[in-house]
Structure formats: structure tokens, C-alpha cells
Amino acid sequence: DIQMTQSPSTLSASVGDRITITCRASQLISVWLAWYQHKPGKAPKLLIYQASSLESGVPSRFSGSGSGTEFTLTISSLQPDDFATYYCQQYNFYPPTFGQGTKVEIK
Amino acid sequence: QVQLVQSGAEVKKPGASVKVSCKASEYTFIDYFMHWVRLAPGQRPEWMGWINPKSGATNYAQKFQGRVTMTRDTSITTTFMELNGLTSDDTAVYYCARVRTGAYSYDDNWGQGTLVTVSP
């Protein structure tokens, strides 16, 4: 299976900060990568697909980039609603696999 | 908007089975594959398999083959995931998730999750 590694595992930040989360794949996955936001007790929410395509309804402060094996999720100005855990997922190879998550905490 | 509403939390004994339901609404049920994904405490999300609601065809992750069964009832736009031979390692939140395109794409809408606790 493709291994997905996110960094950092935890990120402490303040409202208004620009933050970046990195996701690395163990093999080339082209641009077949998605990012999800997850809050406790809630349904995960799709943010980005195909590495850089913003899902409809997702604020433009979220952006994704990368291809091949290295990808990033950037939040340009962190808002109170953004404190959550973020997961990357590759869907180029069967089975789909996820990163271990990055928890964004209030500093 | 798309809604996926799952059944409530379950507590099971080791060796038992659990069946989780996922009722879909506000879209054409048979037009989208459904994934099941679980999230165990301290672990990364784990993809369990897919079901094609139109045909009933399924594909399971190797780890769960022989222990999981995914079914659907088109008359009530509901998919089901049954997991047998439960152990404490199966304690997790189980999610259904609608697949955007085909069987192996990303998931654009998720259920709220069903907590399954396996405890003696």
C-alpha cells in the first residue's frame, strides 16, 4: 500500500496565521490527492481534490499544491473555525490510503 | 444538499457482529459508489471497501476480506456495512462516504459516523 506521511503531526497557531501542512507519498501519485478537515463528532469535510482543486463552498483561504510525491495544504489566514485535524488521502493506487493527520491547535 | 445519516452507536462483545446503516438522500442513490472508512483512536483513517449501489457489486480491502459484508437496499436508499468476528481492535468510528466519481476517487460527502465499541 502507498504510505502517506504528514508533517507536522501537531501545529500550534494563532488566528490570522498562515499555516502549511505537508503530505508525502511513498510513490508517485501524480495529482490524485485530496485533503479533508475533521472535527470531533462531525463528518469529515472535503476541502481539496486533485491536489489543488478547491471543493465548492470551501473558503478561498484554503489552497493545495504539489504533484508526484510532495503536496501541501495552506490556510492563508487561520480562522477560529479552522482548528481541526487535517488528513491527506491518495486515490491513485488501490487501496486509497490516508496520512496520519495534522492537528491544528490554538496557540 | 447531500445527506448521509448513519445509525447510532453500538457496544458489542468480542466475537460478535455489528451492522451499520447509512441512509442517503438529496441525490440519485444509484449514481454514486459508497466507501466505508473507519477511524480508530490514535490511528489514521482506514479504507474498508466500496459498494456500487446500482449493481450491489462490492470490493473489500484485503485486511477485511472474509469479515466484512457491504449491502444496499435501493428501495430505502440505504447502504449497510456488517463486520463479523469483532475484537477490541475494531473499536472505531465507522463512516460511509459518497465517492465523487467511479470506485476509487475521493469522497465528497461523509456520514456523521457510527461509534462501535468492542468490550468484554
Side-chain angles (χ1 to χ4, degrees):
Chain A
D1 295 359
I2 305 299
Q3 300 301 310
M4 306 300 292
T5 305
Q6 289 181 231
S7 60
S9 294
T10 306
L11 191 159
S12 296
S14 301
V15 172
D17 284 353
R18 178 184 181 90
I19 68 165
T20 297
I21 299 168
T22 298
C23 177
R24 290 186 173 87
S26 61
Q27 294 183 37
L28 293 168
I29 59 169
S30 185
V31 294
W32 307 118
L33 182 109
W35 289 97
Y36 302 92
Q37 177 192 67
H38 189 214
K39 298 179 182 179
K42 297 287 188 71
K45 177 184 177 181
L46 174 68
L47 301 174
I48 302 284
Y49 61 94
Q50 205 169 313
S52 61
S53 296
L54 190 68
E55 173 69 353
S56 176
V58 173
S60 59
R61 63 181 180 271
F62 291 91
S63 64
S65 66
S67 66
T69 62
E70 187 154 336
F71 303 85
T72 59
L73 172 71
T74 299
I75 307 176
S76 60
S77 178
L78 202 63
Q79 298 302 301
D81 191 48
D82 301 338
F83 293 96
T85 298
Y86 294 84
Y87 294 99
C88 62
Q89 178 208 33
Q90 69 81 21
Y91 52 96
N92 188 55
F93 292 99
Y94 171 87
T97 49
F98 293 82
Q100 81 278 20
T102 296
K103 185 175 183 180
V104 177
E105 299 180 327
I106 299 173
K107 192 172 185 179
Chain B
Q1 70 275 21
V2 172
Q3 288 199 36
L4 299 173
V5 179
Q6 298 184 223
S7 49
E10 303 261 14
V11 179
K12 296 292 183 181
K13 301 282 189 198
S17 298
V18 68
K19 191 170 185 177
V20 179
S21 67
C22 169
K23 179 166 176 61
S25 61
E26 304 304 322
Y27 72 96
T28 303
F29 178 66
I30 59 172
D31 284 352
Y32 294 84
F33 283 62
M34 196 75 77
H35 285 162
W36 286 87
V37 177
R38 76 178 186 181
L39 183 57
Q43 303 296 312
R44 65 187 65 205
E46 186 171 31
W47 181 82
M48 300 179 68
W50 57 252
I51 181 167
N52 179 346
K54 179 180 285 187
S55 66
T58 56
N59 186 278
Y60 306 135
Q62 188 170 10
K63 174 177 180 175
F64 298 102
Q65 284 182 7
R67 212 160 64 90
V68 71
T69 304
M70 296 176 189
T71 56
R72 93 296 190 213
D73 185 336
T74 57
S75 67
I76 56 171
T77 64
T78 299
T79 57
F80 302 90
M81 187 284 299
E82 183 171 22
L83 190 61
N84 304 316
L86 293 170
T87 72
S88 58
D89 289 342
D90 295 315
T91 293
V93 179
Y94 290 76
Y95 296 93
C96 58
R98 192 185 81 160
V99 189
R100 175 65 60 85
T101 58
Y104 296 111
S105 179
Y106 54 92
D107 301 310
D108 64 0
N109 286 274
W110 295 62
Q112 84 278 16
T114 297
L115 174 62
V116 175
T117 303
V118 183
S119 176

Coordinates of all heavy atoms in Angstrom, one line a residue, chain A residues 17-100:
Chain A
D17 N -2.8 33.6 11.4 CA -1.6 33.0 10.9 C -1.8 32.3 9.6 O -2.9 31.8 9.2 CB -1.0 31.9 11.9 CG -0.4 32.5 13.1 OD1 -0.3 33.8 13.2 OD2 -0.1 31.8 14.0
R18 N -0.7 32.3 8.8 CA -0.6 31.4 7.6 C 0.0 30.1 8.0 O 1.1 30.1 8.6 CB 0.2 32.2 6.5 CG 0.4 31.4 5.2 CD 1.3 32.1 4.3 NE 1.5 31.5 3.0 CZ 0.8 31.7 1.9 NH1 -0.3 32.5 2.0 NH2 1.0 31.0 0.8
I19 N -0.6 29.0 7.7 CA 0.0 27.7 8.0 C 0.0 26.8 6.8 O -0.7 27.0 5.9 CB -0.8 27.0 9.1 CG1 -2.2 26.6 8.7 CG2 -0.9 27.9 10.4 CD1 -2.9 25.6 9.6
T20 N 1.0 25.9 6.8 CA 1.2 25.0 5.8 C 1.4 23.6 6.3 O 2.2 23.4 7.3 CB 2.4 25.3 4.9 OG1 2.2 26.6 4.3 CG2 2.6 24.3 3.8
I21 N 0.7 22.6 5.8 CA 0.8 21.2 6.1 C 1.3 20.5 4.9 O 0.9 20.7 3.8 CB -0.6 20.6 6.6 CG1 -1.1 21.4 7.8 CG2 -0.5 19.2 6.8 CD1 -2.6 21.1 8.1
T22 N 2.3 19.6 5.2 CA 2.9 18.8 4.1 C 2.5 17.4 4.2 O 2.3 16.8 5.2 CB 4.4 18.9 4.2 OG1 4.8 20.3 4.1 CG2 5.1 18.1 3.2
C23 N 2.3 16.8 3.0 CA 2.0 15.4 2.8 C 2.9 14.8 1.8 O 3.0 15.3 0.7 CB 0.5 15.3 2.4 SG -0.1 13.6 2.1
R24 N 3.5 13.7 2.1 CA 4.4 13.0 1.2 C 4.0 11.6 1.0 O 3.6 10.9 1.9 CB 5.9 12.9 1.8 CG 6.5 14.3 1.8 CD 8.0 14.2 2.2 NE 8.7 15.5 2.0 CZ 8.7 16.5 3.0 NH1 8.1 16.3 4.1 NH2 9.3 17.6 2.7
A25 N 4.0 11.2 -0.3 CA 3.6 9.8 -0.7 C 4.8 9.0 -0.9 O 5.9 9.5 -1.4 CB 2.8 9.9 -2.0
S26 N 4.7 7.7 -0.6 CA 5.8 6.8 -0.8 C 6.1 6.4 -2.2 O 7.2 5.8 -2.5 CB 5.6 5.5 0.0 OG 4.4 4.8 -0.4
Q27 N 5.2 6.7 -3.1 CA 5.3 6.5 -4.6 C 4.7 7.7 -5.3 O 3.9 8.4 -4.7 CB 4.7 5.2 -5.0 CG 5.4 3.9 -4.5 CD 4.7 2.7 -5.0 OE1 4.4 2.6 -6.2 NE2 4.6 1.6 -4.2
L28 N 5.0 7.8 -6.6 CA 4.4 8.8 -7.4 C 2.9 8.6 -7.5 O 2.5 7.5 -7.8 CB 5.0 8.8 -8.8 CG 6.5 9.2 -8.9 CD1 7.1 8.9 -10.3 CD2 6.7 10.7 -8.6
I29 N 2.2 9.7 -7.2 CA 0.7 9.6 -7.3 C 0.1 10.7 -8.2 O -1.1 11.0 -8.2 CB 0.0 9.6 -5.9 CG1 0.4 10.9 -5.2 CG2 0.4 8.4 -5.1 CD1 -0.5 11.2 -3.9
S30 N 1.0 11.3 -9.0 CA 0.6 12.4 -9.9 C -0.1 13.4 -9.1 O 0.5 13.9 -8.1 CB -0.4 11.8 -11.0 OG -0.7 12.8 -11.9
V31 N -1.4 13.8 -9.4 CA -2.1 14.8 -8.6 C -3.3 14.2 -7.9 O -4.2 15.0 -7.5 CB -2.5 16.0 -9.5 CG1 -1.3 16.7 -10.1 CG2 -3.4 15.5 -10.7
W32 N -3.3 12.9 -7.8 CA -4.5 12.2 -7.2 C -4.5 12.2 -5.7 O -4.3 11.2 -5.1 CB -4.7 10.9 -7.8 CG -4.6 10.9 -9.3 CD1 -3.7 10.3 -10.1 CD2 -5.5 11.6 -10.2 NE1 -3.9 10.6 -11.4 CE2 -5.0 11.4 -11.5 CE3 -6.6 12.4 -10.0 CZ2 -5.7 12.0 -12.6 CZ3 -7.2 13.0 -11.1 CH2 -6.8 12.8 -12.4
L33 N -4.7 13.4 -5.2 CA -4.6 13.6 -3.7 C -5.7 14.6 -3.3 O -6.0 15.5 -3.9 CB -3.3 14.3 -3.3 CG -3.1 14.4 -1.8 CD1 -2.1 13.5 -1.2 CD2 -2.8 15.9 -1.4
A34 N -6.3 14.2 -2.1 CA -7.4 15.0 -1.5 C -7.0 15.4 -0.1 O -6.2 14.7 0.5 CB -8.7 14.2 -1.5
W35 N -7.6 16.5 0.3 CA -7.4 17.0 1.7 C -8.8 17.1 2.4 O -9.7 17.6 1.8 CB -6.8 18.3 1.8 CG -5.3 18.4 1.4 CD1 -4.8 18.7 0.2 CD2 -4.2 18.2 2.2 NE1 -3.4 18.6 0.2 CE2 -3.0 18.3 1.5 CE3 -4.1 17.8 3.6 CZ2 -1.8 18.2 2.0 CZ3 -2.8 17.7 4.1 CH2 -1.7 17.8 3.3
Y36 N -8.9 16.6 3.6 CA -10.1 16.6 4.4 C -9.8 17.4 5.7 O -8.8 17.3 6.3 CB -10.6 15.2 4.7 CG -10.9 14.4 3.5 CD1 -9.9 13.6 3.0 CD2 -12.1 14.4 2.8 CE1 -10.1 12.8 1.9 CE2 -12.3 13.6 1.7 CZ -11.3 12.8 1.2 OH -11.6 12.1 0.1
Q37 N -10.9 18.0 6.2 CA -10.9 18.6 7.6 C -11.8 17.8 8.4 O -12.9 17.4 8.0 CB -11.4 20.0 7.5 CG -11.6 20.8 8.8 CD -12.4 22.0 8.7 OE1 -13.5 22.0 8.4 NE2 -11.7 23.2 8.8
H38 N -11.4 17.5 9.6 CA -12.2 16.7 10.5 C -12.3 17.3 11.9 O -11.2 17.6 12.5 CB -11.7 15.2 10.6 CG -12.6 14.3 11.3 ND1 -12.2 13.3 12.1 CD2 -14.0 14.3 11.4 CE1 -13.2 12.6 12.6 NE2 -14.3 13.2 12.2
K39 N -13.5 17.5 12.4 CA -13.7 17.9 13.8 C -14.3 16.8 14.6 O -15.1 16.0 14.0 CB -14.6 19.2 13.8 CG -13.9 20.4 13.1 CD -14.9 21.6 13.1 CE -14.2 22.7 12.3 NZ -15.1 23.9 12.2
P40 N -14.0 16.7 15.9 CA -14.5 15.6 16.7 C -16.1 15.5 16.7 O -16.7 16.6 16.8 CB -14.0 16.0 18.1 CG -12.8 16.8 17.9 CD -13.1 17.6 16.7
G41 N -16.6 14.3 16.4 CA -18.0 14.1 16.4 C -18.7 14.6 15.2 O -20.0 14.5 15.1
K42 N -17.9 15.1 14.2 CA -18.5 15.6 12.9 C -18.1 14.7 11.8 O -17.2 14.0 11.8 CB -18.1 17.0 12.7 CG -18.6 18.0 13.8 CD -20.0 18.3 13.6 CE -20.5 19.4 14.6 NZ -20.0 20.7 14.1
A43 N -18.8 14.9 10.7 CA -18.4 14.3 9.4 C -17.2 14.9 8.8 O -17.1 16.2 8.8 CB -19.6 14.3 8.4
P44 N -16.2 14.2 8.4 CA -15.1 14.8 7.7 C -15.6 15.6 6.5 O -16.7 15.3 5.9 CB -14.3 13.6 7.2 CG -14.6 12.5 8.2 CD -16.1 12.7 8.5
K45 N -14.9 16.6 6.2 CA -15.3 17.6 5.1 C -14.2 17.6 4.0 O -13.0 17.9 4.3 CB -15.5 19.0 5.7 CG -15.9 20.0 4.7 CD -16.0 21.4 5.4 CE -16.3 22.5 4.4 NZ -16.4 23.8 5.1
L46 N -14.6 17.4 2.8 CA -13.7 17.6 1.7 C -13.3 19.0 1.4 O -14.2 19.9 1.3 CB -14.3 17.0 0.4 CG -13.5 17.2 -0.9 CD1 -12.2 16.3 -0.9 CD2 -14.4 16.8 -2.1
L47 N -12.0 19.3 1.4 CA -11.5 20.7 1.1 C -11.0 20.8 -0.3 O -11.3 21.8 -1.0 CB -10.4 21.0 2.1 CG -10.7 21.0 3.6 CD1 -9.5 21.3 4.4 CD2 -11.8 22.0 3.9
I48 N -10.1 19.9 -0.6 CA -9.3 20.0 -1.9 C -9.3 18.6 -2.5 O -9.2 17.6 -1.8 CB -7.8 20.4 -1.6 CG1 -7.7 21.7 -0.9 CG2 -7.0 20.4 -2.9 CD1 -8.0 22.9 -1.7
Y49 N -9.4 18.6 -3.8 CA -9.2 17.3 -4.6 C -8.3 17.6 -5.8 O -8.1 18.7 -6.1 CB -10.6 16.8 -5.0 CG -11.4 17.7 -6.0 CD1 -11.3 17.6 -7.3 CD2 -12.2 18.7 -5.4 CE1 -12.0 18.4 -8.2 CE2 -12.9 19.5 -6.3 CZ -12.8 19.4 -7.6 OH -13.5 20.2 -8.5
Q50 N -7.8 16.5 -6.3 CA -6.9 16.6 -7.4 C -5.7 17.6 -7.1 O -5.3 18.4 -7.9 CB -7.6 17.0 -8.7 CG -6.9 16.6 -10.0 CD -7.8 16.7 -11.2 OE1 -8.9 16.3 -11.2 NE2 -7.2 17.3 -12.3
A51 N -5.3 17.5 -5.9 CA -4.1 18.2 -5.3 C -4.4 19.7 -5.1 O -3.9 20.3 -4.1 CB -2.9 18.0 -6.2
S52 N -5.1 20.4 -6.0 CA -5.2 21.8 -6.0 C -6.6 22.4 -6.3 O -6.7 23.6 -6.3 CB -4.2 22.5 -6.9 OG -4.4 22.1 -8.3
S53 N -7.5 21.5 -6.5 CA -8.9 22.0 -6.9 C -9.7 22.2 -5.6 O -9.8 21.3 -4.8 CB -9.6 21.0 -7.8 OG -8.9 20.9 -9.0
L54 N -10.2 23.4 -5.4 CA -11.0 23.8 -4.2 C -12.4 23.2 -4.4 O -13.1 23.5 -5.4 CB -11.0 25.3 -4.1 CG -11.5 25.8 -2.8 CD1 -10.6 25.5 -1.6 CD2 -11.7 27.3 -2.9
E55 N -12.9 22.5 -3.4 CA -14.2 22.0 -3.4 C -15.2 23.1 -3.3 O -14.9 24.1 -2.6 CB -14.4 21.0 -2.2 CG -15.9 20.5 -2.0 CD -16.4 19.6 -3.2 OE1 -15.7 19.4 -4.2 OE2 -17.5 19.0 -3.0
S56 N -16.3 23.0 -4.0 CA -17.3 24.1 -3.9 C -17.8 24.4 -2.5 O -18.0 23.5 -1.7 CB -18.6 23.6 -4.8 OG -19.6 24.5 -4.7
G57 N -17.8 25.6 -2.2 CA -18.3 26.1 -0.9 C -17.2 26.2 0.2 O -17.4 26.7 1.3
V58 N -16.0 25.7 -0.2 CA -14.9 25.8 0.7 C -14.2 27.2 0.6 O -14.0 27.7 -0.5 CB -13.8 24.7 0.5 CG1 -12.6 24.9 1.3 CG2 -14.4 23.4 0.7
P59 N -13.9 27.9 1.7 CA -13.4 29.3 1.6 C -12.1 29.3 0.9 O -11.3 28.4 0.9 CB -13.2 29.6 3.1 CG -14.1 28.8 3.9 CD -14.2 27.5 3.1
S60 N -11.8 30.4 0.2 CA -10.7 30.5 -0.6 C -9.4 30.7 0.1 O -8.3 30.7 -0.4 CB -10.8 31.7 -1.6 OG -11.0 32.9 -0.8
R61 N -9.4 30.8 1.5 CA -8.2 30.8 2.3 C -7.5 29.5 2.2 O -6.3 29.3 2.6 CB -8.5 31.3 3.7 CG -9.3 30.4 4.5 CD -9.5 31.0 5.9 NE -10.4 30.1 6.7 CZ -11.7 30.2 6.8 NH1 -12.3 31.2 6.0 NH2 -12.5 29.5 7.6
F62 N -8.2 28.4 1.9 CA -7.6 27.1 1.7 C -7.1 26.9 0.3 O -7.8 27.3 -0.7 CB -8.7 26.0 2.0 CG -9.1 25.9 3.4 CD1 -10.3 26.6 3.8 CD2 -8.5 25.1 4.3 CE1 -10.7 26.5 5.1 CE2 -8.9 25.0 5.6 CZ -10.0 25.7 6.1
S63 N -5.9 26.4 0.2 CA -5.3 26.1 -1.1 C -4.4 24.9 -1.0 O -3.9 24.6 0.1 CB -4.6 27.3 -1.7 OG -3.4 27.6 -0.9
G64 N -4.3 24.1 -2.1 CA -3.5 23.0 -2.2 C -2.5 23.1 -3.4 O -2.9 23.7 -4.4
S65 N -1.4 22.4 -3.2 CA -0.4 22.4 -4.3 C 0.4 21.1 -4.3 O 0.3 20.4 -3.3 CB 0.5 23.6 -4.3 OG 1.3 23.5 -3.1
G66 N 1.1 20.9 -5.3 CA 2.0 19.7 -5.4 C 1.6 18.7 -6.4 O 0.6 18.8 -7.0
S67 N 2.6 17.8 -6.7 CA 2.4 16.7 -7.6 C 3.5 15.7 -7.4 O 4.5 16.1 -6.8 CB 2.3 17.2 -9.1 OG 3.6 17.6 -9.5
G68 N 3.3 14.5 -7.9 CA 4.3 13.5 -7.7 C 4.2 12.9 -6.3 O 3.4 12.0 -6.1
T69 N 5.1 13.3 -5.4 CA 5.2 12.7 -4.1 C 5.0 13.8 -3.0 O 4.9 13.4 -1.8 CB 6.5 11.9 -3.9 OG1 7.6 12.8 -3.9 CG2 6.6 10.8 -4.8
E70 N 5.1 15.0 -3.3 CA 5.0 16.0 -2.2 C 3.9 17.1 -2.5 O 3.8 17.6 -3.6 CB 6.4 16.8 -2.1 CG 6.4 17.7 -0.9 CD 7.9 17.9 -0.5 OE1 8.7 17.1 -0.7 OE2 8.1 19.0 0.2
F71 N 3.1 17.3 -1.4 CA 2.0 18.1 -1.5 C 1.9 19.0 -0.3 O 2.4 18.6 0.8 CB 0.7 17.2 -1.6 CG 0.7 16.2 -2.8 CD1 1.4 15.0 -2.6 CD2 0.2 16.6 -4.0 CE1 1.4 14.1 -3.7 CE2 0.2 15.7 -5.0 CZ 0.9 14.5 -4.9
T72 N 1.2 20.1 -0.4 CA 1.0 21.0 0.7 C -0.5 21.5 0.7 O -1.1 21.7 -0.3 CB 1.9 22.2 0.6 OG1 1.7 22.9 -0.6 CG2 3.3 21.8 0.7
L73 N -1.0 21.7 1.9 CA -2.2 22.4 2.2 C -1.9 23.7 2.9 O -1.2 23.6 3.9 CB -3.2 21.5 3.0 CG -4.4 22.2 3.5 CD1 -5.4 22.4 2.3 CD2 -5.1 21.4 4.6
T74 N -2.3 24.8 2.4 CA -2.1 26.1 3.0 C -3.4 26.7 3.4 O -4.4 26.7 2.7 CB -1.3 27.0 2.1 OG1 0.0 26.4 1.8 CG2 -1.1 28.3 2.7
I75 N -3.4 27.3 4.6 CA -4.5 28.2 5.1 C -3.9 29.5 5.2 O -3.0 29.7 6.0 CB -5.1 27.7 6.4 CG1 -5.5 26.2 6.3 CG2 -6.3 28.6 6.7 CD1 -6.1 25.6 7.6
S76 N -4.4 30.5 4.4 CA -3.7 31.8 4.3 C -3.9 32.6 5.5 O -3.0 33.4 5.9 CB -4.2 32.5 3.1 OG -5.6 32.7 3.2
S77 N -5.0 32.5 6.2 CA -5.3 33.3 7.4 C -6.2 32.5 8.3 O -7.4 32.5 8.0 CB -5.9 34.7 7.0 OG -6.2 35.4 8.2
L78 N -5.6 31.9 9.3 CA -6.3 30.9 10.1 C -7.5 31.6 10.8 O -7.4 32.7 11.4 CB -5.4 30.3 11.1 CG -5.7 29.0 11.7 CD1 -5.8 27.9 10.6 CD2 -4.7 28.6 12.8
Q79 N -8.7 30.9 10.7 CA -9.9 31.4 11.4 C -10.3 30.5 12.5 O -9.9 29.3 12.6 CB -11.0 31.5 10.4 CG -10.7 32.5 9.2 CD -10.5 33.9 9.8 OE1 -11.3 34.5 10.4 NE2 -9.3 34.4 9.5
P80 N -11.1 31.0 13.5 CA -11.4 30.1 14.6 C -12.0 28.8 14.2 O -11.8 27.8 14.9 CB -12.4 31.0 15.4 CG -12.0 32.4 15.0 CD -11.6 32.4 13.6
D81 N -12.8 28.8 13.1 CA -13.4 27.6 12.7 C -12.5 26.5 12.1 O -12.8 25.4 11.8 CB -14.5 27.9 11.6 CG -15.4 26.7 11.3 OD1 -15.9 26.1 12.2 OD2 -15.6 26.4 10.1
D82 N -11.2 26.9 11.9 CA -10.3 26.1 11.2 C -9.5 25.2 12.1 O -8.7 24.3 11.7 CB -9.2 26.9 10.4 CG -9.9 27.8 9.3 OD1 -11.1 27.5 8.9 OD2 -9.3 28.8 8.9
F83 N -9.7 25.3 13.4 CA -9.0 24.5 14.4 C -9.6 23.1 14.3 O -10.8 22.9 14.7 CB -9.0 25.1 15.8 CG -8.1 26.3 15.8 CD1 -8.7 27.6 15.7 CD2 -6.7 26.2 15.9 CE1 -7.9 28.7 15.7 CE2 -6.0 27.4 16.0 CZ -6.6 28.6 15.8
A84 N -8.9 22.1 13.8 CA -9.4 20.8 13.5 C -8.2 19.9 13.1 O -7.0 20.3 13.2 CB -10.3 20.9 12.3
T85 N -8.5 18.7 12.7 CA -7.5 17.8 12.2 C -7.6 17.6 10.7 O -8.7 17.6 10.2 CB -7.6 16.4 12.9 OG1 -7.4 16.5 14.3 CG2 -6.6 15.4 12.3
Y86 N -6.5 17.7 10.0 CA -6.5 17.6 8.6 C -5.8 16.3 8.1 O -4.8 16.0 8.6 CB -5.8 18.8 8.0 CG -6.5 20.1 8.3 CD1 -6.4 20.8 9.5 CD2 -7.4 20.6 7.4 CE1 -7.1 21.9 9.8 CE2 -8.2 21.8 7.7 CZ -8.0 22.4 8.9 OH -8.8 23.5 9.2
Y87 N -6.4 15.7 7.1 CA -5.9 14.4 6.6 C -5.7 14.6 5.1 O -6.6 15.1 4.4 CB -6.9 13.3 6.8 CG -7.1 12.9 8.2 CD1 -8.2 13.3 8.9 CD2 -6.2 12.1 8.9 CE1 -8.4 12.9 10.2 CE2 -6.4 11.7 10.2 CZ -7.5 12.1 10.9 OH -7.7 11.7 12.2
C88 N -4.6 14.0 4.6 CA -4.5 13.9 3.1 C -4.8 12.4 2.8 O -4.8 11.5 3.6 CB -3.0 14.2 2.6 SG -1.7 13.2 3.3
Q89 N -5.2 12.2 1.5 CA -5.6 10.9 1.0 C -5.1 10.8 -0.4 O -5.4 11.7 -1.2 CB -7.1 10.7 1.1 CG -7.6 9.3 0.6 CD -9.0 9.4 0.0 OE1 -9.4 10.4 -0.5 NE2 -9.7 8.3 0.2
Q90 N -4.5 9.7 -0.7 CA -4.1 9.4 -2.1 C -5.2 8.5 -2.7 O -5.7 7.5 -2.0 CB -2.7 8.8 -2.3 CG -2.5 7.4 -1.8 CD -3.0 6.3 -2.7 OE1 -3.1 6.5 -3.9 NE2 -3.2 5.1 -2.2
Y91 N -5.6 8.7 -4.0 CA -6.5 7.8 -4.6 C -6.0 7.4 -6.0 O -6.8 7.2 -6.9 CB -7.9 8.5 -4.7 CG -8.0 9.9 -5.2 CD1 -8.4 10.1 -6.5 CD2 -7.8 11.0 -4.4 CE1 -8.5 11.4 -7.0 CE2 -7.9 12.2 -4.9 CZ -8.3 12.4 -6.2 OH -8.4 13.7 -6.7
N92 N -4.7 7.4 -6.2 CA -4.1 7.0 -7.4 C -4.0 5.5 -7.5 O -4.2 4.8 -8.5 CB -2.7 7.6 -7.6 CG -2.2 7.3 -9.0 OD1 -2.8 7.6 -10.0 ND2 -1.0 6.8 -9.0
F93 N -3.7 4.9 -6.3 CA -3.4 3.5 -6.2 C -4.5 2.8 -5.3 O -4.9 3.4 -4.3 CB -2.0 3.1 -5.7 CG -0.9 3.5 -6.6 CD1 -0.2 4.7 -6.4 CD2 -0.6 2.7 -7.6 CE1 0.8 5.0 -7.3 CE2 0.5 3.0 -8.5 CZ 1.2 4.1 -8.3
Y94 N -4.8 1.6 -5.6 CA -5.7 0.8 -4.7 C -4.8 0.2 -3.7 O -3.8 -0.4 -4.0 CB -6.4 -0.3 -5.5 CG -7.1 -1.3 -4.7 CD1 -8.5 -1.1 -4.3 CD2 -6.5 -2.5 -4.3 CE1 -9.1 -2.0 -3.5 CE2 -7.2 -3.4 -3.5 CZ -8.5 -3.1 -3.1 OH -9.2 -4.0 -2.3
P95 N -5.2 0.2 -2.4 CA -6.4 0.9 -1.9 C -6.1 2.3 -1.6 O -4.9 2.7 -1.3 CB -6.7 0.1 -0.6 CG -5.3 -0.3 -0.1 CD -4.5 -0.6 -1.3
P96 N -7.1 3.2 -1.5 CA -6.9 4.5 -1.1 C -6.3 4.5 0.3 O -6.7 3.7 1.2 CB -8.3 5.1 -1.1 CG -9.2 4.2 -1.9 CD -8.6 2.9 -1.8
T97 N -5.4 5.4 0.6 CA -4.7 5.5 1.9 C -4.6 6.9 2.3 O -4.5 7.9 1.5 CB -3.3 4.8 1.8 OG1 -2.6 5.4 0.7 CG2 -3.4 3.3 1.7
F98 N -4.6 7.1 3.7 CA -4.6 8.4 4.3 C -3.3 8.7 5.0 O -2.6 7.7 5.5 CB -5.8 8.4 5.3 CG -7.1 8.4 4.7 CD1 -7.7 7.2 4.4 CD2 -7.9 9.5 4.5 CE1 -9.0 7.1 3.9 CE2 -9.2 9.5 4.0 CZ -9.7 8.3 3.7
G99 N -3.0 10.0 5.2 CA -2.0 10.3 6.1 C -2.5 10.2 7.6 O -3.6 9.9 7.8
Q100 N -1.5 10.3 8.5 CA -1.8 10.1 9.9 C -2.5 11.3 10.6 O -3.0 11.2 11.7 CB -0.5 9.8 10.7 CG 0.3 11.0 11.1 CD 1.2 11.5 10.0 OE1 1.0 11.2 8.8 NE2 2.2 12.2 10.4

